[in-house]
Amino acid sequence: MLGEPVAGSGAKICLRLRASFLTISTSEDHRTPRLRTQPTSLELFLLFVVGTVCFGITASVFHGWRSLVLVSDDNGAYLEVATAIRHWDLNQVGIQHFMGYPYAIAAVSLISHLPLIGSLWLVALVSSFVSTILVARLFGTWVAAFFALTNFAWLQTSFLGGSEPLAVALGLGALWAFRRGNPLPAALLGSLATTVRPLMFFTLVGIGIALLYQKRYAKFLGAFAVGLAICLLYVWPLVHYFGDPLLTVHSYTSRDYGAANLAGPHGRLFGWPFHAIIVGTMLYPAPWTNLILSFSWIALVIAGMVAMFSRDLRDHWRANPAEAIFCGLYLLAVFCYDYLIWARGNFIRFSIPALPFVFFALLRWLPKDRRVLWSLAVASPFLAACSAIGIRNLFPFR
């Protein structure tokens, strides 16, 4: 079973006998202790399947799955780039985002002969499940279940398509490989994650600093060489077709996508922590429901950051410095993100790669009842699908 280590067989027998005695003597429901035990890997898989089915049924009944995929977030741009990669002709395509996800879509389509939209969905779905398993390997199945079932943005990108699941799977895979003592595969996965979402570069920073701190200089040079090789392979088409090796970097720093037609200040890529969250909320009002949801997640992440400094976790961070460095730098970058229109509204999505660490830090306060998980497996995907469709589209008001 994934998660926390279990005691030896003798201790387990004693614990079971004691639990049986207490159950009989207090006349409690015999199912209660079992419902509070850690979910198994099989149950985690079943929770994921139920969530997938609930989301898919809701999306199909109220909107139509295919049309919802096409209009979801940045999928149109990803499909455009994936089509150009599939035909290896980037001359007429506009590059908005890092290209790792379109490369994966094109590769899966080429190998499986699936249409690109099916490959887009399959890459996201499989990556989401892999991410959930990796979270369980790193932090236990309680953390994995809450990570997989609570965040609407994660559910939407997992079941409709988006770059976050692939980036998280590669990034967590890098940290898992490094924890297992394999820095070169870790560097490879971290480099690939960076081609999907640029802030995943902090996985490489964490791995590099940890290797230097441990005085493993040869491994550091090897990891650096792996990262450099992936970087050169990634920028070669950009140089060949556009003459700019940093084209995808410049796409983030020179333009505020989606806000070009909005009057008022836009901000810049990075600034002071919390500046864009506060100022953007004042300049660009939002429905009170969106504000409650956004600030609830901001408060949760801040609470997790505070809990990370607890005495109980110090030994964990000392044993896994690469994870601590990645999480710290990533959250700092998210809170310093300074585009006013997006900083608060997209915080739920931007914070996704750090959420396993947040839930791990808050583990003692999470409701450890599997009935809660099964309720989330039904309710969260349903609500996430409704959110993706739009409440006003489901229930139009005059």
Side-chain angles (χ1 to χ4, degrees):
M1 184 178 73
L2 300 175
E4 300 172 355
V6 296
S9 58
K12 286 165 59 177
I13 293 173
C14 293
L15 289 172
R16 287 175 181 172
L17 288 173
R18 184 184 178 197
S20 299
F21 174 78
L22 289 174
T23 302
I24 294 171
S25 62
T26 59
S27 300
E28 292 178 350
D29 187 346
H30 71 282
R31 296 174 297 175
T32 301
R34 185 177 180 183
L35 288 169
R36 295 185 182 277
T37 59
Q38 186 167 223
T40 64
S41 55
L42 175 60
E43 187 170 9
L44 193 62
F45 171 72
L46 293 175
L47 288 165
F48 183 86
V49 171
V50 169
T52 305
V53 172
C54 290
F55 189 100
I57 290 175
T58 305
S60 299
V61 169
F62 289 109
H63 193 279
W65 174 82
R66 180 184 175 87
S67 59
L68 191 58
V69 169
L70 289 173
V71 300
S72 179
D73 291 320
D74 302 315
N75 284 351
Y78 288 130
L79 286 172
E80 181 184 6
V81 177
T83 301
I85 293 172
R86 189 74 167 79
H87 299 92
W88 203 242
D89 183 9
L90 302 178
N91 286 306
Q92 305 301 320
V93 68
I95 305 297
Q96 298 182 29
H97 310 287
F98 273 51
M99 297 170 61
Y101 185 39
Y103 274 120
I105 296 169
V108 170
S109 176
L110 179 64
I111 294 170
S112 65
H113 302 290
L114 287 172
L116 288 172
I117 188 172
S119 299
L120 176 144
W121 174 80
L122 184 62
V123 170
L125 183 71
V126 173
S127 298
S128 177
F129 178 69
V130 171
S131 298
T132 303
I133 294 300
L134 287 168
V135 174
R137 292 287 186 183
L138 289 165
F139 304 116
T141 50
W142 281 118
V143 175
F146 280 100
F147 167 73
L149 299 172
T150 55
N151 187 289
F152 286 3
W154 173 254
L155 292 167
Q156 289 164 0
T157 57
S158 297
F159 302 141
L160 293 177
S163 61
E164 282 78 9
L166 180 60
V168 172
L170 292 169
L172 293 181
L175 296 175
W176 172 245
F178 190 75
R179 187 188 285 193
R180 301 283 290 179
N182 301 303
L184 296 185
L188 174 62
L189 292 172
S191 301
L192 293 174
T194 305
T195 69
V196 180
R197 298 292 294 182
L199 289 186
M200 299 308 290
F201 172 72
F202 292 129
T203 58
L204 295 175
V205 175
I207 290 168
I209 293 177
L211 288 173
L212 290 175
Y213 177 77
Q214 297 164 359
K215 299 182 180 180
R216 300 164 67 184
Y217 301 121
K219 293 294 185 181
F220 171 81
L221 292 175
F224 182 83
V226 169
L228 181 62
I230 296 298
C231 176
L232 293 175
L233 289 173
Y234 177 80
V235 303
W236 177 83
L238 302 179
V239 173
H240 179 74
Y241 285 99
F242 304 101
D244 183 1
L246 300 179
L247 179 69
T248 46
V249 175
H250 294 154
S251 72
Y252 283 87
T253 58
S254 61
R255 289 171 287 180
D256 181 4
Y257 285 107
N261 297 323
L262 293 177
H266 290 186
R268 55 189 183 279
L269 186 59
F270 292 113
W272 292 103
F274 298 99
H275 171 264
I277 293 175
I278 297 171
V279 176
T281 300
M282 293 188 295
L283 291 178
Y284 300 102
W288 64 268
T289 51
N290 290 1
L291 293 176
I292 290 175
L293 185 63
S294 297
F295 281 107
S296 295
W297 277 101
I298 292 171
L300 178 73
V301 172
I302 292 174
M305 292 172 62
V306 173
M308 290 175 194
F309 290 94
S310 66
R311 185 174 301 176
D312 296 338
L313 294 179
R314 289 176 186 173
D315 289 340
H316 174 84
W317 301 128
R318 289 192 189 101
N320 303 286
E323 297 169 26
I325 293 168
F326 163 74
C327 181
L329 292 177
Y330 186 90
L331 286 175
L332 177 63
V334 169
F335 281 111
C336 289
Y337 181 77
D338 207 45
Y339 280 136
L340 304 181
I341 190 66
W342 307 118
R344 178 201 51 79
N346 278 2
F347 181 87
I348 301 173
R349 184 173 182 178
F350 294 156
S351 64
I352 285 173
L355 290 184
F357 303 88
V358 170
F359 284 123
F360 176 64
L362 297 173
L363 181 59
R364 69 174 72 178
W365 294 285
L366 296 179
K368 298 180 183 64
D369 189 324
R370 282 149 64 189
R371 288 170 294 192
V372 173
L373 299 184
W374 283 102
S375 299
L376 287 172
V378 175
S380 289
F382 170 77
L383 294 174
C386 292
S387 176
I389 297 168
I391 299 299
R392 291 185 178 274
N393 295 327
L394 290 173
F395 307 104
F397 299 98
R398 293 186 179 274

PDB file of all heavy atoms in Angstrom, residues 272-288:
ATOM      1  N   TRP A 272       6.222  42.899  -6.521  1.00  0.00           N
ATOM      2  CA  TRP A 272       6.250  42.625  -5.094  1.00  0.00           C
ATOM      3  C   TRP A 272       5.211  41.568  -4.742  1.00  0.00           C
ATOM      4  O   TRP A 272       4.146  41.503  -5.361  1.00  0.00           O
ATOM      5  CB  TRP A 272       5.970  43.899  -4.295  1.00  0.00           C
ATOM      6  CG  TRP A 272       7.072  44.914  -4.392  1.00  0.00           C
ATOM      7  CD1 TRP A 272       7.084  46.051  -5.140  1.00  0.00           C
ATOM      8  CD2 TRP A 272       8.335  44.851  -3.730  1.00  0.00           C
ATOM      9  NE1 TRP A 272       8.272  46.725  -4.987  1.00  0.00           N
ATOM     10  CE2 TRP A 272       9.065  46.008  -4.123  1.00  0.00           C
ATOM     11  CE3 TRP A 272       8.936  43.955  -2.843  1.00  0.00           C
ATOM     12  CZ2 TRP A 272      10.348  46.272  -3.661  1.00  0.00           C
ATOM     13  CZ3 TRP A 272      10.209  44.221  -2.380  1.00  0.00           C
ATOM     14  CH2 TRP A 272      10.899  45.366  -2.782  1.00  0.00           C
ATOM     15  N   PRO A 273       5.487  40.731  -3.737  1.00  0.00           N
ATOM     16  CA  PRO A 273       4.507  39.715  -3.327  1.00  0.00           C
ATOM     17  C   PRO A 273       3.152  40.337  -2.970  1.00  0.00           C
ATOM     18  O   PRO A 273       3.104  41.388  -2.314  1.00  0.00           O
ATOM     19  CB  PRO A 273       5.159  39.062  -2.102  1.00  0.00           C
ATOM     20  CG  PRO A 273       6.630  39.293  -2.270  1.00  0.00           C
ATOM     21  CD  PRO A 273       6.739  40.643  -2.951  1.00  0.00           C
ATOM     22  N   PHE A 274       2.078  39.708  -3.440  1.00  0.00           N
ATOM     23  CA  PHE A 274       0.693  40.063  -3.145  1.00  0.00           C
ATOM     24  C   PHE A 274       0.240  41.364  -3.825  1.00  0.00           C
ATOM     25  O   PHE A 274      -0.948  41.699  -3.744  1.00  0.00           O
ATOM     26  CB  PHE A 274       0.451  40.192  -1.630  1.00  0.00           C
ATOM     27  CG  PHE A 274       0.687  38.923  -0.872  1.00  0.00           C
ATOM     28  CD1 PHE A 274       1.881  38.721  -0.202  1.00  0.00           C
ATOM     29  CD2 PHE A 274      -0.281  37.935  -0.834  1.00  0.00           C
ATOM     30  CE1 PHE A 274       2.106  37.550   0.501  1.00  0.00           C
ATOM     31  CE2 PHE A 274      -0.080  36.770  -0.131  1.00  0.00           C
ATOM     32  CZ  PHE A 274       1.125  36.571   0.537  1.00  0.00           C
ATOM     33  N   HIS A 275       1.142  42.088  -4.491  1.00  0.00           N
ATOM     34  CA  HIS A 275       0.753  43.362  -5.082  1.00  0.00           C
ATOM     35  C   HIS A 275      -0.371  43.194  -6.099  1.00  0.00           C
ATOM     36  O   HIS A 275      -1.408  43.866  -6.024  1.00  0.00           O
ATOM     37  CB  HIS A 275       1.968  44.029  -5.742  1.00  0.00           C
ATOM     38  CG  HIS A 275       1.623  45.238  -6.560  1.00  0.00           C
ATOM     39  ND1 HIS A 275       1.435  45.173  -7.940  1.00  0.00           N
ATOM     40  CD2 HIS A 275       1.396  46.535  -6.211  1.00  0.00           C
ATOM     41  CE1 HIS A 275       1.122  46.374  -8.389  1.00  0.00           C
ATOM     42  NE2 HIS A 275       1.098  47.218  -7.368  1.00  0.00           N
ATOM     43  N   ALA A 276      -0.190  42.273  -7.050  1.00  0.00           N
ATOM     44  CA  ALA A 276      -1.183  42.115  -8.105  1.00  0.00           C
ATOM     45  C   ALA A 276      -2.474  41.508  -7.570  1.00  0.00           C
ATOM     46  O   ALA A 276      -3.561  41.817  -8.068  1.00  0.00           O
ATOM     47  CB  ALA A 276      -0.624  41.243  -9.229  1.00  0.00           C
ATOM     48  N   ILE A 277      -2.386  40.645  -6.572  1.00  0.00           N
ATOM     49  CA  ILE A 277      -3.590  40.049  -5.987  1.00  0.00           C
ATOM     50  C   ILE A 277      -4.469  41.129  -5.381  1.00  0.00           C
ATOM     51  O   ILE A 277      -5.687  41.153  -5.589  1.00  0.00           O
ATOM     52  CB  ILE A 277      -3.199  38.996  -4.932  1.00  0.00           C
ATOM     53  CG1 ILE A 277      -2.522  37.797  -5.607  1.00  0.00           C
ATOM     54  CG2 ILE A 277      -4.426  38.545  -4.144  1.00  0.00           C
ATOM     55  CD1 ILE A 277      -1.990  36.763  -4.628  1.00  0.00           C
ATOM     56  N   ILE A 278      -3.857  42.056  -4.650  1.00  0.00           N
ATOM     57  CA  ILE A 278      -4.619  43.108  -3.972  1.00  0.00           C
ATOM     58  C   ILE A 278      -5.078  44.178  -4.959  1.00  0.00           C
ATOM     59  O   ILE A 278      -6.271  44.508  -5.041  1.00  0.00           O
ATOM     60  CB  ILE A 278      -3.765  43.728  -2.854  1.00  0.00           C
ATOM     61  CG1 ILE A 278      -3.441  42.663  -1.790  1.00  0.00           C
ATOM     62  CG2 ILE A 278      -4.489  44.912  -2.219  1.00  0.00           C
ATOM     63  CD1 ILE A 278      -2.432  43.122  -0.759  1.00  0.00           C
ATOM     64  N   VAL A 279      -4.135  44.723  -5.729  1.00  0.00           N
ATOM     65  CA  VAL A 279      -4.470  45.816  -6.645  1.00  0.00           C
ATOM     66  C   VAL A 279      -5.394  45.326  -7.760  1.00  0.00           C
ATOM     67  O   VAL A 279      -6.353  46.016  -8.133  1.00  0.00           O
ATOM     68  CB  VAL A 279      -3.177  46.428  -7.226  1.00  0.00           C
ATOM     69  CG1 VAL A 279      -3.516  47.497  -8.268  1.00  0.00           C
ATOM     70  CG2 VAL A 279      -2.328  47.025  -6.114  1.00  0.00           C
ATOM     71  N   GLY A 280      -5.121  44.135  -8.293  1.00  0.00           N
ATOM     72  CA  GLY A 280      -5.976  43.608  -9.346  1.00  0.00           C
ATOM     73  C   GLY A 280      -7.400  43.382  -8.880  1.00  0.00           C
ATOM     74  O   GLY A 280      -8.359  43.592  -9.642  1.00  0.00           O
ATOM     75  N   THR A 281      -7.585  42.952  -7.624  1.00  0.00           N
ATOM     76  CA  THR A 281      -8.932  42.754  -7.091  1.00  0.00           C
ATOM     77  C   THR A 281      -9.677  44.076  -6.987  1.00  0.00           C
ATOM     78  O   THR A 281     -10.891  44.141  -7.247  1.00  0.00           O
ATOM     79  CB  THR A 281      -8.856  42.088  -5.706  1.00  0.00           C
ATOM     80  OG1 THR A 281      -8.199  40.823  -5.822  1.00  0.00           O
ATOM     81  CG2 THR A 281     -10.248  41.868  -5.139  1.00  0.00           C
ATOM     82  N   MET A 282      -8.976  45.135  -6.649  1.00  0.00           N
ATOM     83  CA  MET A 282      -9.614  46.451  -6.526  1.00  0.00           C
ATOM     84  C   MET A 282      -9.927  47.052  -7.895  1.00  0.00           C
ATOM     85  O   MET A 282     -10.976  47.692  -8.083  1.00  0.00           O
ATOM     86  CB  MET A 282      -8.714  47.397  -5.723  1.00  0.00           C
ATOM     87  CG  MET A 282      -8.572  46.996  -4.261  1.00  0.00           C
ATOM     88  SD  MET A 282      -7.707  48.236  -3.264  1.00  0.00           S
ATOM     89  CE  MET A 282      -6.073  48.187  -4.014  1.00  0.00           C
ATOM     90  N   LEU A 283      -9.032  46.850  -8.869  1.00  0.00           N
ATOM     91  CA  LEU A 283      -9.229  47.465 -10.183  1.00  0.00           C
ATOM     92  C   LEU A 283     -10.185  46.677 -11.067  1.00  0.00           C
ATOM     93  O   LEU A 283     -10.893  47.258 -11.905  1.00  0.00           O
ATOM     94  CB  LEU A 283      -7.878  47.605 -10.889  1.00  0.00           C
ATOM     95  CG  LEU A 283      -6.905  48.619 -10.305  1.00  0.00           C
ATOM     96  CD1 LEU A 283      -5.596  48.601 -11.080  1.00  0.00           C
ATOM     97  CD2 LEU A 283      -7.501  50.030 -10.331  1.00  0.00           C
ATOM     98  N   TYR A 284     -10.210  45.360 -10.916  1.00  0.00           N
ATOM     99  CA  TYR A 284     -11.042  44.499 -11.762  1.00  0.00           C
ATOM    100  C   TYR A 284     -11.971  43.682 -10.875  1.00  0.00           C
ATOM    101  O   TYR A 284     -11.649  42.564 -10.487  1.00  0.00           O
ATOM    102  CB  TYR A 284     -10.170  43.577 -12.610  1.00  0.00           C
ATOM    103  CG  TYR A 284      -9.230  44.313 -13.540  1.00  0.00           C
ATOM    104  CD1 TYR A 284      -7.880  44.447 -13.233  1.00  0.00           C
ATOM    105  CD2 TYR A 284      -9.701  44.887 -14.710  1.00  0.00           C
ATOM    106  CE1 TYR A 284      -7.016  45.126 -14.079  1.00  0.00           C
ATOM    107  CE2 TYR A 284      -8.848  45.569 -15.568  1.00  0.00           C
ATOM    108  CZ  TYR A 284      -7.515  45.688 -15.242  1.00  0.00           C
ATOM    109  OH  TYR A 284      -6.665  46.362 -16.076  1.00  0.00           O
ATOM    110  N   PRO A 285     -13.132  44.236 -10.529  1.00  0.00           N
ATOM    111  CA  PRO A 285     -14.059  43.535  -9.633  1.00  0.00           C
ATOM    112  C   PRO A 285     -14.509  42.208 -10.221  1.00  0.00           C
ATOM    113  O   PRO A 285     -14.558  42.019 -11.437  1.00  0.00           O
ATOM    114  CB  PRO A 285     -15.231  44.517  -9.498  1.00  0.00           C
ATOM    115  CG  PRO A 285     -14.678  45.843  -9.902  1.00  0.00           C
ATOM    116  CD  PRO A 285     -13.637  45.553 -10.939  1.00  0.00           C
ATOM    117  N   ALA A 286     -14.857  41.294  -9.321  1.00  0.00           N
ATOM    118  CA  ALA A 286     -15.309  39.963  -9.719  1.00  0.00           C
ATOM    119  C   ALA A 286     -16.519  39.589  -8.887  1.00  0.00           C
ATOM    120  O   ALA A 286     -16.762  40.181  -7.823  1.00  0.00           O
ATOM    121  CB  ALA A 286     -14.181  38.948  -9.515  1.00  0.00           C
ATOM    122  N   PRO A 287     -17.324  38.608  -9.315  1.00  0.00           N
ATOM    123  CA  PRO A 287     -18.457  38.155  -8.502  1.00  0.00           C
ATOM    124  C   PRO A 287     -17.982  37.682  -7.120  1.00  0.00           C
ATOM    125  O   PRO A 287     -16.878  37.150  -6.985  1.00  0.00           O
ATOM    126  CB  PRO A 287     -19.035  36.995  -9.319  1.00  0.00           C
ATOM    127  CG  PRO A 287     -18.606  37.269 -10.726  1.00  0.00           C
ATOM    128  CD  PRO A 287     -17.261  37.923 -10.611  1.00  0.00           C
ATOM    129  N   TRP A 288     -18.824  37.860  -6.124  1.00  0.00           N
ATOM    130  CA  TRP A 288     -18.431  37.525  -4.759  1.00  0.00           C
ATOM    131  C   TRP A 288     -18.117  36.045  -4.610  1.00  0.00           C
ATOM    132  O   TRP A 288     -17.268  35.650  -3.795  1.00  0.00           O
ATOM    133  CB  TRP A 288     -19.515  37.951  -3.774  1.00  0.00           C
ATOM    134  CG  TRP A 288     -20.827  37.226  -3.932  1.00  0.00           C
ATOM    135  CD1 TRP A 288     -21.893  37.609  -4.677  1.00  0.00           C
ATOM    136  CD2 TRP A 288     -21.203  35.991  -3.299  1.00  0.00           C
ATOM    137  NE1 TRP A 288     -22.916  36.692  -4.581  1.00  0.00           N
ATOM    138  CE2 TRP A 288     -22.518  35.695  -3.726  1.00  0.00           C
ATOM    139  CE3 TRP A 288     -20.569  35.121  -2.424  1.00  0.00           C
ATOM    140  CZ2 TRP A 288     -23.200  34.553  -3.307  1.00  0.00           C
ATOM    141  CZ3 TRP A 288     -21.246  33.984  -2.004  1.00  0.00           C
ATOM    142  CH2 TRP A 288     -22.544  33.703  -2.439  1.00  0.00           C
TER     143      TRP A 288
END
